[in-house]
């Protein structure tokens, strides 16, 4: 999980670097197309079956995950890296809330506390962003967390239905790639050049390493410990942002991020 967290942080770095010459839709397209090629090629070599009776659930998960990824990459491109990552990591808080609203689950006291701490942290974190960088990037960063939490409900359903993990990841990548191809018909493709190809390759490789490491961690490790270690992504992102772009965090930002992280840890304990 530590490797996954560092790789997700590195992915954010490559997104921010590539955003200088490529649009958000293109960045998401290249990130997911890489996963389609790698996972699809590995499945073909292993003679694994692509057919699934759960295509409807895959479509729901894929569409929610794709829009979440668009919002997330836009936020990374326009916000300090640690801020964008932290807003995306509100997903456990929203997952707990949506489990109540959509599935009728009962929210225990620790869940209520997680909600309160999480929303307080979000408001605190977004206040300077709202005034200095505009509202859109902050709202889309938060929306990425909401949609990611929603998509995790469908991931859970797919897991409970016995769907193979690789097919869940593959169909998400495939749906996102097709979505990117569709959206790019209404935009201008920017060429890959010697200047941006390293960032695009770094984006694809880091995302794939992160996904595989995270999947392995949840498979063999203790779920609660692994979930808590995932917040190291925020720490790595803060470090990368400070070293590469001098985005040094003040005490208010650190306090707000701490509240959001604590909220996620409490929400995962419910």
């Amino acid at each position: 999980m530590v490797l996954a967290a560092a790789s997700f942080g590195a992915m954010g770095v490559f997104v921010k670097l590539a955003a200088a010459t490529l649009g958000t839709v293109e960045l998401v397209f290249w990130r997911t197309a890489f996963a389609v090629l790698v996972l699809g090629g590995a499945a073909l070599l292993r003679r694994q079956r692509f057919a699934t009776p759960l295509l409807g659930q895959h479509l729901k998960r894929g569409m929610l995950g794709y829009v979440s990824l668009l919002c997330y990459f836009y936020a990374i491109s326009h916000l300090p890296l640690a801020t964008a990552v932290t807003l995306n990591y509100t997903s456990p808080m929203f997952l707990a809330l949506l489990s109540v609203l959509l599935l009728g689950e009962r929210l225990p006291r620790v869940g209520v506390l997680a909600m309160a701490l999480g929303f307080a942290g979000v408001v605190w974190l977004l206040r300077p962003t709202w005034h200095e960088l505009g509202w859109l990037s902050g709202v889309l960063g938060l929306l990425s967390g909401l949609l990611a939490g929603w998509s995790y409900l469908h991931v859970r359903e797919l897991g409970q239905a016995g769907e193979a993990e690789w097919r869940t990841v593959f169909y998400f990548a495939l749906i996102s790639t097709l979505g990117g191809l569709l959206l790019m018909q209404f935009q201008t493709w920017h060429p890959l050049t010697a200047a941006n190809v390293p960032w695009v390759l770094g984006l694809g490789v880091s995302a794939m390493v992160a996904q595989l490491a995270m999947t392995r961690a949840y498979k063999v490790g203790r779920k609660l410990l692994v979930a808590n270690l995932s917040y190291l992504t925020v720490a790595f992102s803060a470090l990368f942002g400070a070293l590469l772009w001098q985005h040094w965090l003040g005490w208010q930002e650190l306090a707000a991020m701490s509240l959001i992280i604590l909220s996620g840890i409490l929400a995962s304990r419910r």
Side-chain angles (χ1 to χ4, degrees), residues 86-137:
T86 305
L87 290 173
N88 181 257
Y89 270 66
T90 57
S91 55
M93 178 181 74
F94 285 117
L95 176 59
L97 179 61
L98 290 168
S99 296
V100 174
L101 297 178
L102 300 181
L103 302 181
E105 295 183 3
R106 183 174 176 273
L107 193 64
R109 290 181 179 180
V110 68
V112 175
L113 177 60
M115 294 290 104
L117 290 175
F119 282 113
V122 166
V123 171
W124 199 353
L125 183 62
L126 283 181
R127 282 185 62 188
T129 299
W130 206 275
H131 296 296
E132 297 170 13
L133 300 173
W135 61 271
L136 181 60
S137 52

Side-chain angles (χ1 to χ4, degrees), residues 36-73:
V36 169
L37 292 174
V38 173
L39 290 173
L44 286 172
L45 288 174
R46 296 175 181 175
R47 300 183 181 275
Q48 293 174 310
R49 294 178 66 251
F50 289 89
T52 174
L54 303 170
L55 190 58
Q57 287 96 317
H58 281 294
L59 285 172
K60 294 176 185 177
R61 183 269 194 268
M63 292 174 65
L64 288 168
Y66 176 55
V67 179
S68 172
L69 207 53
L70 286 173
C71 294
Y72 184 37
F73 278 23

Side-chain angles (χ1 to χ4, degrees), residues 28-257:
V28 175
F29 170 79
W30 291 118
R31 179 255 186 265
T32 56
F34 188 91
V36 169
L37 292 174
V38 173
L39 290 173
L44 286 172
L45 288 174
R46 296 175 181 175
R47 300 183 181 275
Q48 293 174 310
R49 294 178 66 251
F50 289 89
T52 174
L54 303 170
L55 190 58
Q57 287 96 317
H58 281 294
L59 285 172
K60 294 176 185 177
R61 183 269 194 268
M63 292 174 65
L64 288 168
Y66 176 55
V67 179
S68 172
L69 207 53
L70 286 173
C71 294
Y72 184 37
F73 278 23
Y74 182 92
I76 290 176
S77 302
H78 294 83
L79 293 173
L81 183 57
T83 300
V85 170
T86 305
L87 290 173
N88 181 257
Y89 270 66
T90 57
S91 55
M93 178 181 74
F94 285 117
L95 176 59
L97 179 61
L98 290 168
S99 296
V100 174
L101 297 178
L102 300 181
L103 302 181
E105 295 183 3
R106 183 174 176 273
L107 193 64
R109 290 181 179 180
V110 68
V112 175
L113 177 60
M115 294 290 104
L117 290 175
F119 282 113
V122 166
V123 171
W124 199 353
L125 183 62
L126 283 181
R127 282 185 62 188
T129 299
W130 206 275
H131 296 296
E132 297 170 13
L133 300 173
W135 61 271
L136 181 60
S137 52
V139 168
L140 290 181
L142 189 60
L143 183 60
S144 75
L146 168 61
L147 294 175
W150 197 349
S151 74
Y152 293 153
L153 285 180
H154 294 291
V155 172
R156 187 167 68 182
E157 289 179 354
L158 287 164
Q160 291 172 346
E163 185 63 290
E165 293 173 352
W166 76 267
R167 268 200 300 265
T168 298
V169 177
F170 173 79
Y171 276 108
F172 161 62
L174 178 61
I175 291 167
S176 298
T177 302
L178 294 176
L181 286 174
L182 177 63
L183 290 182
M184 284 311 302
Q185 303 310 307
F186 306 98
Q187 299 187 29
T188 302
W189 281 95
H190 296 93
L192 294 179
T193 65
N196 60 30
V197 162
W199 311 143
V200 171
L201 289 176
L203 167 60
V205 172
S206 60
M208 181 59 61
V209 170
Q211 195 74 50
L212 292 173
M214 181 180 68
T215 301
R216 178 66 177 173
Y218 275 108
K219 183 176 182 179
V220 304
R222 287 182 292 169
K223 183 178 179 181
L224 185 58
L225 175 62
V226 170
N228 292 345
L229 284 175
S230 70
Y231 286 96
L232 285 173
T233 302
V234 176
F236 281 116
S237 299
L239 177 62
F240 295 152
L243 293 177
L244 296 174
W245 293 283
Q246 286 72 56
H247 291 157
W248 301 100
L249 301 176
W251 72 268
Q252 290 182 322
E253 293 170 305
L254 289 171
M257 290 177 180

